[in-house]
Amino acid sequence: MRQTIVRDVSDLPTYGYGPRSGPWWGAMGFMALEGMGFAVAIGAYLYLYAVNPSWPIGASPPDLWPGTVETVIYVLSIIPNEFTNRAAHRQDLAKVRIGLIVMALIGIALLVLRGFEFAHLNTRWDNSAYGSIVWLILGLHTTHLATDLGDTVVLAVLMFTRHAKPRRFSDVTDNVFYWNFVVLAWLPLYVLLDWVPRL
Amino acid sequence: MSIAAEPNDLRDDVLNGLQLSTQLERVWRTPSGWMGALMAVDHKVVGRRYIVTAFVFLLLGGILAVLMRVQLAGPEKTFLSADKYNQVFTMHGSTMMFLFAVPVMEAFAVYLVPLMVGTRNIAFPRLNAFSYWMFLFGGCFLWISFLFNVGPDVGWFSYVPLSSLQFTPTKRADVWAQMITFTEVAALAVAVEIVVTVFKLRAPGMTLDRIPLFVWAMLVTAFLVMFAMPSIMVASTSLILDRLVNTRFYDSSSGGHPLLWQHLFWFFGHPEVYIIFIPGTGMVSAILATFARRPVIGYPVVILSLIATGFLSFGLWVHHMFVTGLPQLGAALFTASSMLIAVPSGLQIFCWLATLWDGRPVYRTPLLFVIGFIVIFVLGGLSGVMVASVPIDTQVHDTYFVVAHFHYVLIGGAVFPLIGAVYYWFPKIAGRMLSERLGRWNFWLAFIGFNVAFFPMHILGLIGMPRRVYTYTADMDWAHLNLLSSGGALIFALSFALLLVNVIYSLRKGELAGDNPWDASTLEWATSSPPPPQNFDRIPVVKHRDPLWADSESLPVVAGLSAERREVLLTSLAEAEPQIREASPEPSIWPLLAAIATTIFFIGSIFTPWAVLWGTPPMAVTLIGWFWPTGSKEDEE
Amino acid sequence: MRVWVRRVLVLCMTWPLAACAGRQSALDPQGPQSGQILHTLFIFLAVAAMVWTAVVIVLGIGMLRRKRSADRPLDLHQAFEERSGRVILALGIATTVIVLGLSLVSYAGQRTVFVKDEKAHTLKIIGHQWWWEVRYEADSPHQSFVTANEIRIPTGQPVKVELESADVIHSFWVPSLTGKMDLIPGQKNELQFTAKNAGVYRGQCAEFCGIQHAHMAFAVIAMSPDEFGRWRDHENQSANSPADQLGKQGEALFRGRGCALCHNISGTLAGGQLGPDLTHIGSRTTIAAGTLPNTPATLGAWIADPQHIKPGNLMPKMPLQSDELIAIIHYLEQLK
Ligand code: HEA
Ligand code: HEA
Ligand code: CUA
Ligand SMILES: [Cu+2]
C-alpha cells in the first residue's frame, strides 16, 4: 500500500513522566491488581470475622505499638518521597541520591519494625483461621514493602554509577509512585489488623 | 522536561521503500539460532508460540475428553478406573480452562492487538516473553505430574475440604494449586501489557471511538483478568499454606470455613468464563464486519455491552453456590443479577444479527463458524438463564444439564469464534490461506458433532445423571443418550483432526495470501503477511474507524521514528496524540532465566516452606539482571 | 442455504422429544416441591425455546433475504442505521422485561419450594465418604435410632432433613422429591419435602466427594404413615440375637475379626462408629450406598473384598476364611 507521510514526530522526547509514559501505566496496572489482591484478602478477613462468633479466635488482639509506629513512619515517609519525586522531575542528581538513600533507610526501618509486628501479633498462623488470615495479610503487605525496598536500593545503586542517565529519573518517579501505593495500602490494613479485633 | 534525542541518528524519514524495510528489519528482528529463539521478545514470535502451545493443550485436553466419553459410552465400563477417571476429568477441566481457553485468547491478543492498534511491539515485551515461559512451565508441570500419576483429582474448582491435606494427602492438590499460580502470573502479565498497549501505543488518530471492536474486547478482558485473578491467587495461596504449614483458612474446627473457598474461587471463576467469552465476541465482531461486508451495527452499543458484561460479571459468583444453604432472599438477588447479564449479551447478538441482515454476506469458513456460534451460544446462554433460577438450579446443579450449559457457551461462545478466527487470521500469521474445502468439512463436522455430543446432556441431567461420576448402572436409563453423546464427541474430535490436517497442509501448500486477502478494514491487514519484525515500516495514522475501507489506496503514516534502534510511538490516552518516542526493549535471555528461577521457587514451595528463603535470591538476581541497563544506546539516553 | 436452515431446525428440535423419565428424574415429580420446580422449569423452557427460535429465524431470514446493492462496505443507509438502532434498543428493553419477569417467576417458585413447616418429621443425615448416616432422633434417647443409606418416610407428611457432613462436602439429591442441598462440614443445612405416593425414590450424592462419589446413592422409601410407624417401632429395637449356632459364631467373628471396630450393632458389643450402623442390615434393600442389592451373595462378595466392588472405599479387605465369611453373612442376614 502506498504511504503518505502526514506527520513528523522526530521532535518528540524519548521519555516522559507520569501518565505520558508507558511504565507509569504498567505500574498503575500492577497496583490495580495488587490492590485487588488486598481487597480480596480484606474480604476474606471480614468473611471469617462474620462467620465466627468470637474474634479474635483464642488470642488477644495484636499489640498496638508496632503497627502504630509503622503507620506514623509510613505517613511521614510521604515527605521524603515527595522530595525525591520533585528532585527527579528536576533531574537533580544529588538530591535524588539523597532521597533514594533516605527512602531505602526508611524501608529498612519499616522492615525491622515489621519483624516486631509479626512477633507481637499474639497468634500464630496455625492457631486458628484468625491467625492464618492475619499472617497472610501482613505477609502480603510485607512482600510489597520488601520488593519496593529492593527496587529503591537498585535504583540508588544505579544513580551512583555511570547509569545515572536522564531516563532513570523517570524510573525514580515510578518508584515514588509505587511507594505511595504501599503506604496507601497499609492504612486500611492497619485499621483492620489492629483495631477491628478490638471492636 | 523534554530532551530531544541527538539529531544525527538515522530516522525513518530519510529512508524509503526497501531500504527502510531492510534497515528496520535488521533492528527489530529476533536473533537467529536457538539462543536467539530463547531471547525472543517480538510479540508475533511470542504470540505464535503462545497460540501453538495453547492448541497443544486443547489437543491434550480434548484427548482426555474422548477418554471420558469412551468410559461413559456404556454402563459399568472399566476402560478407566475410578481413580484415573477423576484425574482425567480434573485434568480435562483444568487444562481446558487454564491452559487452553484463557491463554489462547490472550495469545491472539498478544499477536493481534499491537498490529491492530498500529504499533511495533507490545508494551513490556520482556514481560511478555516471561509470561509465555511461565505459562509453558506451568502447563508442563501439570502434565508431567499427571503422567507420573500425581495429576490433580479434585475437580477444576478443587473444593475444600476434599482438597485439604486430610482428604488428599498426596501432592495432587498442590500440583493443581501451583499450576494455578503459574498460569495466573502469566495471565496477569499479559493483561497489564494489553492495557498499556491499548492505552498508550495506539497509532496517532486512533481515538477511543476508532478502536477496533476486537481490541475493545481484549481491553475489557484484560481488566477482568486484573480484577478477577487476584482472588484465585489468594485462594490457591491459602490452600497451599493450609496444606504446607497448617494454616486454618478452610478448617471448620478452627474457625475456618469451606465456603470461604467457594466464594474466593467463584469470585474469580465467574468472571473467568467471561474472560473466555468476551474475546470470542471480539473475534465475532471482527469476522462479521469483514464477511458481511459492512461495519458492525451499533459500535457504541457493543462496547457498552462489553463493559457492562465486565462489571456485571463480578456480581454473579454466588449462582454457582445456590445449593450451599444461602439465605433465600440473597440467592434470589443473584438470580436476578445473573439473568440481567442476558441484556448486554442479547444486545450484542442483536447488533450482529442486524449487521448480517443488512450486509452482503460472503459465506467463507470464518463466517460459517460465526453463524454456528450464534446458533449454539444463544442456546447455551438461554440454558444459563435457566440454571440462574434458584429452584431450577437445585435440580440441575452438578448434573449433566450444567455440563451441557457450559460446553454450549464455552465451545459455542469461545471455541467456534476461535476456530473462525484461526481461518480468518491464519493468512496473516502464516502468509498462506487455509483450504476452504477442508474448512467447510471442518465446520459441518464440528457443528453436527458438537450438537450430537452435547445436546443429549441436557436431558441426561434432567433424568438424574450427576456430573463427575466415573460410571453408572444399566438400570438408570442413561446408556442410550450417553452412547449418542460419545458418538457425537468422536465426530467433533474428527473436526479438530481436520483442522489440524488443514493447518499442516496449508502451511506448505496453501494459496499465498497477500496483504489483505479478505479485503478487511483493520490495520493488521495493512502490512504484509506474515508481518515483518517491525510490523509497519511507518506507523499508520488513523482517520477512520475502518481505515482500510475508508481509503484503500494509500495509508497515511507518521515519520520521524528512529531507524537504527527500537522505538515505538506513545500516544495520549483518549485522543491518541503522539507524545513520546519510547525505546522498546531488545531481545533478552533474562525473562527466561527469571521464569526458570520462579519455576524453581514455585515448585519448591509445594514441598517445603523453606523454598521461600532459598528460592528468593535467584529470582531477585534474575529480575535485577532483567532490568539492569545494558549500556545500549536507548537505555543510556 | 435453505437446506442448511432445515438441517439446523431438524437437528435441534428432535432431540428434546427423546426425553424420558428414568429412575431418578427431575421430570417425574412425586411431591409438591419437585412439582413446583418442574413447573418453573417449563415456564423457563418455553421462554427459552421461543427466544432461541426467534433468533434462529431472524438469522435465517437475514441470511436469505435479498440484499441492498451498494458494493462498498462504507456506503451505509442512514435510515437503516437509525431504524436498526431503534429496533436493537427495543429488543434490549424487551430482554430486560423478560428477565425481570423470569426472576419473579423464579422467586415465586423458590418461596414454594423452600416453604418451612414446623410440624415436619425431622431426621438428620450425615454424609460420609461414601455413604449416608441416617439418624432418627426423638426426645427420648430410646426412641432414637441410626440406619444408613435408606431413608424411610411417611407419605403425605412433610419431612425435614437436617444435613451435616463428617468429612467433605456432599450433596443430598432425590430428584423426584425435591432439588438438592449440600452437606457441608461446619455448617447445618436443611431441606424439606413431601412424598405424595408410596414408593422407592432413588437419590444420589451430587457433589464430587472423592474417588467413590459415583457410588454414593441412597433410597428414600415412602410408606403409609401406619406402616412407617410400625417400621419405626421395629427399628427402635436392638438387634436380633442370632438364632442358631452358625449365627452365634458369626457374631463372635464379627467382633473377633475387627468388624466391630467400625460398625455398630446395637444390643451387642459391636460399637464402632466409622462405618454404617448394621443393627438392621438384614432388612435393608441395598448395601454399600446403593451399589449392590442386598442378597446373601452380594453381602458375601462385599465382605470378602469391598475394594473390588467399590475401589477406594474406606472399608478394608479383611482376611477371612471362607467358613468364617459364611458365618458372618449368616449372622448379618438375621439382623432384620
Ligand atoms: C463462556 C463461558 C460462559 C458463558 C458466556 C456463560 C453465560 C452464562 N451462564 Fe454459565 N457457566 C459457565 C460458562 C459460561 N456461562 C461454566 C464453565 C459453568 C460451570 C462451571 C462448573 O461448575 O464447572 C457455568 C455455570 C453457570 C451457572 C451455575 C450452574 C450450576 O453449577 O448449578 C449458572 C447459574 O446461574 C450460569 C448462568 C449463566 C448465565 C445467566 C449466563 C449468561 O451470560 C448468558 C447470557 C446470554 C443469553 C441469555 C443469550 C443471548 C441473549 C439473547 C438472545 C437475548 C434474549 C434473552 C432473553 C430474553 C433471556 N452458568
Ligand atoms: C473450553 C473448555 C472446554 C472444552 C473445549 C471442552 C471440550 C470437551 N469436553 Fe469438557 N469440560 C470443561 C471444559 C471444556 N470441555 C470443563 C471446565 C469441565 C468440568 C470439569 C470438572 O468437572 O472439573 C468439563 C467436563 C466435561 C465432561 C464432564 C465430566 C464429568 O463431569 O464427569 C465431559 C463429558 O462428556 C466433557 C466432554 C468434553 C468433550 C467431548 C469435549 C470436546 O469438545 C473435545 C474435542 C477436542 C478434541 C478431541 C481435541 C482435538 C482432537 C483432535 C486433533 C483429533 C485427534 C484426537 C482423537 C480422535 C482422540 N467435558
Ligand atoms: Cu458424596 Cu459425592
Ligand atoms: Cu457463573
Side-chain angles (χ1 to χ4, degrees), chain C residues 3-222:
Chain C
V3 186
W4 194 92
V5 175
R6 231 183 18 243
R7 266 225 203 91
V8 175
L9 288 179
V10 170
L11 275 172
C12 298
M13 303 303 282
T14 47
W15 282 321
L17 304 178
C20 53
R23 287 184 57 196
Q24 168 178 298
S25 169
L27 302 177
D28 174 32
Q30 296 289 334
Q33 284 82 4
S34 50
Q36 174 64 46
I37 297 176
L38 191 62
H39 183 70
T40 313
L41 192 138
F42 278 145
I43 297 178
F44 272 69
L45 191 60
V47 174
M50 281 182 318
V51 171
W52 186 80
T53 315
V55 167
V56 171
I57 289 176
V58 172
L59 175 69
I61 300 179
M63 289 166 62
L64 297 177
R65 71 189 271 277
R66 272 201 311 150
K67 301 297 179 172
R68 68 191 170 86
S69 54
D71 51 21
R72 304 232 345 254
L74 291 181
D75 289 348
L76 303 174
H77 294 282
Q78 201 49 42
F80 180 85
E81 303 292 301
E82 276 165 20
R83 194 150 32 91
S84 57
R86 281 196 299 276
V87 173
I88 289 169
L89 188 70
L91 287 174
I93 293 171
T95 307
T96 316
V97 172
I98 294 176
V99 294
L100 289 179
L102 286 177
S103 299
L104 290 180
V105 171
S106 169
Y107 189 54
Q110 189 182 347
R111 296 275 301 259
T112 329
V113 172
F114 290 104
V115 66
K116 292 257 148 58
D117 196 325
E118 289 310 313
K119 298 191 301 294
H121 286 266
T122 303
L123 49 109
K124 181 181 279 178
I125 295 183
I126 300 169
H128 294 260
Q129 280 180 320
W130 295 276
W131 56 281
W132 305 85
E133 178 180 347
V134 185
R135 308 184 76 96
Y136 288 79
E137 287 175 347
D139 297 337
S140 81
H142 310 292
Q143 292 288 303
S144 307
F145 58 90
V146 182
T147 175
N149 301 329
E150 218 171 77
I151 302 160
R152 296 194 182 230
I153 59 168
T155 52
Q157 298 175 5
V159 176
K160 183 173 94 185
V161 289
E162 294 172 352
L163 303 168
E164 287 169 31
S165 169
D167 37 51
V168 303
I169 302 178
H170 305 272
S171 194
F172 179 89
W173 184 38
V174 200
S176 307
L177 297 179
T178 188
K180 56 185 73 65
M181 181 62 78
D182 286 353
L183 295 77
I184 299 173
Q187 181 172 315
K188 290 189 165 68
N189 284 342
E190 53 181 59
L191 191 64
Q192 187 176 307
F193 53 85
T194 309
K196 273 193 309 226
N197 306 308
V200 181
Y201 305 109
R202 192 175 190 271
Q204 188 164 352
C205 176
E207 180 63 61
F208 182 67
C209 51
I211 185 164
Q212 279 299 340
H213 161 66
H215 286 127
M216 188 167 163
F218 60 99
V220 174
I221 303 178

Side-chain angles (χ1 to χ4, degrees), chain B residues 76 82-83 86 89-90 153-155 157 159-162 167 252 257-259 262 292-295 297-298 301 322-329 331-332 335-337 339-340 342-343 346-347 349-351 353-354 356-361 363 368 371-372 374-376 378-379 382-383 385-386 388-399 408 443-444 447-448 451-453 455-456 459 461-471 473 475-478 481 484 519 544 546 549-550, chain C residues 1 4 7-8 11-12 15-27 34 37 40-42 44-45 47-49 51-52 54-59 61-74 76-77 80-81 84-85 87-89 91-93 95-96 98-100 102-103 105-107 109-110 113-114 129 166-169 171 173-187 189 202 204-215 291 309-311:
Chain B
E76 308 207 58
D83 179 55
N86 295 342
F89 83 71
T90 304
D153 59 353
V154 283
F157 36 78
Y159 276 1
V160 291
L162 185 59
F167 299 104
S252 54
H257 204 295
L259 287 187
Q262 299 193 13
R293 308 299 313 143
R294 58 152 295 146
I297 287 183
V301 180
F322 280 157
V323 301
T324 55
L326 302 162
Q328 289 304 321
L329 189 63
T335 292
S337 68
M339 288 189 197
L340 269 180
V343 177
L347 284 172
I349 298 272
F350 304 144
C351 290
L353 287 177
L356 210 60
W357 184 279
D358 184 58
R360 287 171 304 118
Y363 292 102
L368 295 184
I371 289 164
I374 295 180
V375 173
I376 294 172
V378 170
L379 201 156
L382 291 164
S383 69
V385 169
M386 293 177 72
S389 156
V390 175
I392 298 177
D393 193 53
T394 62
Q395 282 289 18
V396 298
H397 173 68
D398 271 338
T399 69
Y408 263 78
F443 170 72
W444 284 109
F447 188 77
I448 295 170
N451 283 296
V452 176
F455 195 87
I459 301 160
L462 291 174
I463 61 175
M465 184 163 170
R467 63 195 281 200
R468 299 173 164 185
V469 291
Y470 72 99
T471 191
T473 51
D475 59 341
M476 298 307 295
D477 299 326
W478 300 333
L481 287 170
L484 181 65
D519 187 20
H544 193 278
D546 292 293
W549 280 344
Chain C
M1 248 344 98
W4 194 92
R7 266 225 203 91
V8 175
L11 275 172
C12 298
W15 282 321
L17 304 178
C20 53
R23 287 184 57 196
Q24 168 178 298
S25 169
L27 302 177
S34 50
I37 297 176
T40 313
L41 192 138
F42 278 145
F44 272 69
L45 191 60
V47 174
V51 171
W52 186 80
V55 167
V56 171
I57 289 176
V58 172
L59 175 69
I61 300 179
M63 289 166 62
L64 297 177
R65 71 189 271 277
R66 272 201 311 150
K67 301 297 179 172
R68 68 191 170 86
S69 54
D71 51 21
R72 304 232 345 254
L74 291 181
L76 303 174
H77 294 282
F80 180 85
E81 303 292 301
S84 57
V87 173
I88 289 169
L89 188 70
L91 287 174
I93 293 171
T95 307
T96 316
I98 294 176
V99 294
L100 289 179
L102 286 177
S103 299
V105 171
S106 169
Y107 189 54
Q110 189 182 347
V113 172
F114 290 104
Q129 280 180 320
D167 37 51
V168 303
I169 302 178
S171 194
W173 184 38
V174 200
S176 307
L177 297 179
T178 188
K180 56 185 73 65
M181 181 62 78
D182 286 353
L183 295 77
I184 299 173
Q187 181 172 315
N189 284 342
R202 192 175 190 271
Q204 188 164 352
C205 176
E207 180 63 61
F208 182 67
C209 51
I211 185 164
Q212 279 299 340
H213 161 66
H215 286 127
T291 309
I309 290 167
K310 198 169 165 180

